[in-house]
Amino acid sequence: MLWLKAWMETRWKAAWMLLAGALIVLVARRAATGLLAMGILLSVLVTVFLAGTGIETASTRPGESAKGGEGSKLFTLSLPVTRARIFCVRTVIGVLETGALLLLLAVAAWLLLPSRVESVDDALGSLAVIVSFSMAVYAISACLSTFCDEGWRIRLSGLAVVGIFGLSASHRLPRGLDIFRSLVSESPLLTHRTPWDAIVSACVLAVVFFAATLMIVQKRDY
């Protein structure tokens, strides 16, 4: 039931993000926008909007009132399951939706913009960088969802991404931890080399924030 409920409550977010991503891909093709910039924008948008995990619940229908959302949250908390299990189920659903959307949009970009990608290895390496970056952002946003409402979660998640980008642009991050460098100037699409150190760093960051979020969910009295 938890799996079905999580899917029903997040499917409209996934649908809206798929539509927004498709529009960005089409605009990138028509305006010859950089594939790297498009990939970063897509990953940030999809990840942040799908990362409302923890015990927060969403509407099962588009445009439903906030009162309905509150009722859904109370119903979820009344179920005979732990908050940790609810969080884990919703996190897995969100991660799967995020990964599926990013994969679909990456394939669409590859098919529509074939001249920008020289080989399958470069495409897979770039996808690995984007997915690892997205999981790190997802984990940060999930952690914020445990003590912020939806609006503040999105704002603070955006500020976190901007802050990391600022540190990257000012060269204040160690090279192996600078995921933005691997997304832009050292992308596999440009260097034809997969930056495994940055990918591992992003994955470790994601694990740390997911673990912190799970501890908060278990200990905090909602």
Side-chain angles (χ1 to χ4, degrees):
M1 179 180 179
L2 287 179
W3 294 96
L4 177 61
K5 191 172 188 296
W7 162 246
M8 295 290 288
E9 292 178 342
T10 57
R11 57 180 179 168
W12 288 111
K13 279 188 176 183
W16 282 116
M17 286 299 98
L18 180 61
L19 177 60
L23 292 176
I24 292 175
V25 171
L26 292 176
V27 169
R29 184 188 184 191
R30 181 178 297 272
T33 304
L35 186 60
L36 298 177
M38 183 198 70
I40 296 173
L41 178 60
L42 279 177
S43 63
V44 171
L45 285 177
V46 170
T47 302
V48 169
F49 278 92
L50 289 180
T53 55
I55 64 167
E56 292 295 329
T57 59
S59 168
T60 57
R61 297 189 299 274
E64 190 175 348
S65 67
K67 183 179 179 180
E70 183 67 21
S72 180
K73 181 191 299 185
L74 293 176
F75 173 76
T76 301
L77 293 176
S78 69
L79 295 175
V81 293
T82 63
R83 290 181 175 87
R85 184 179 176 188
I86 294 173
F87 167 76
C88 290
V89 168
R90 293 183 64 83
T91 297
V92 171
I93 288 290
V95 167
L96 290 176
E97 289 173 344
T98 301
L101 286 178
L102 290 176
L103 180 60
L104 286 174
L105 294 172
V107 171
W110 188 23
L111 294 176
L112 293 175
L113 306 169
S115 61
R116 313 293 177 83
V117 182
E118 297 183 6
S119 70
V120 175
D121 290 340
D122 293 346
L124 292 177
S126 181
L127 181 62
V129 173
I130 291 176
V131 169
S132 61
F133 167 78
S134 300
M135 290 303 98
V137 175
Y138 191 106
I140 294 172
S141 191
C143 189
L144 290 172
S145 74
T146 61
F147 52 85
C148 295
D149 60 23
E150 185 72 358
W152 276 108
R153 181 188 65 80
I154 293 174
R155 295 186 190 99
L156 293 177
S157 298
L159 288 175
V161 173
V162 171
I164 296 173
F165 176 77
L167 292 175
S168 174
S170 60
H171 304 289
R172 296 181 180 179
L173 288 176
R175 195 178 191 86
L177 300 178
D178 195 344
I179 190 66
F180 267 105
R181 185 192 301 271
S182 301
L183 282 167
V184 184
S185 61
E186 296 183 5
S187 168
L189 297 179
L190 299 176
T191 64
H192 310 295
R193 180 185 65 84
T194 303
W196 292 111
D197 52 351
I199 292 175
V200 171
S201 297
C203 291
V204 170
L205 183 65
V207 170
V208 169
F209 272 94
F210 276 136
T213 305
L214 187 57
M215 291 178 60
I216 295 173
V217 169
Q218 290 175 322
K219 294 182 178 180
R220 185 168 180 178
D221 183 18
Y222 286 92

